[in-house]
Amino acid sequence: MSDKVAKHKQPWKPEELQKLRTLADKGKGLKEIAKALNRTEESTKDAAKQHGMTIGKLR
């Protein structure tokens, strides 16, 4: 079994939002940010949109 626990429907903590903002500001892609936060891409995208952040596109 995996040691990682999925955070299904868990609220975002302020530390996670700060890390999301930091990674988004560095131009990281959605997949990379989601993996770093142990969140789904959909959840990460929704949180970024809800908090007025833009996630860069990978080229």
Side-chain angles (χ1 to χ4, degrees):
M1 232 191 226
S2 177
D3 291 337
K4 292 185 180 181
V5 177
K7 297 182 179 183
H8 296 285
K9 305 284 184 183
Q10 294 295 314
W12 283 75
K13 295 179 183 173
E15 311 86 60
E16 290 176 310
L17 290 170
Q18 182 60 44
K19 188 170 182 179
L20 172 58
R21 183 173 299 283
T22 301
L23 293 171
D25 288 346
K26 288 182 178 180
K28 303 294 183 184
L30 179 60
K31 190 172 189 174
E32 186 177 356
I33 294 172
K35 187 173 182 178
L37 295 170
N38 193 28
R39 295 281 187 159
T40 64
E41 291 179 32
E42 190 68 28
S43 174
T44 303
K45 183 171 62 172
D46 289 346
K49 186 176 181 181
Q50 184 178 13
H51 291 90
M53 298 176 222
T54 304
I55 296 178
K57 307 262 191 256
L58 291 178
R59 296 170 208 218

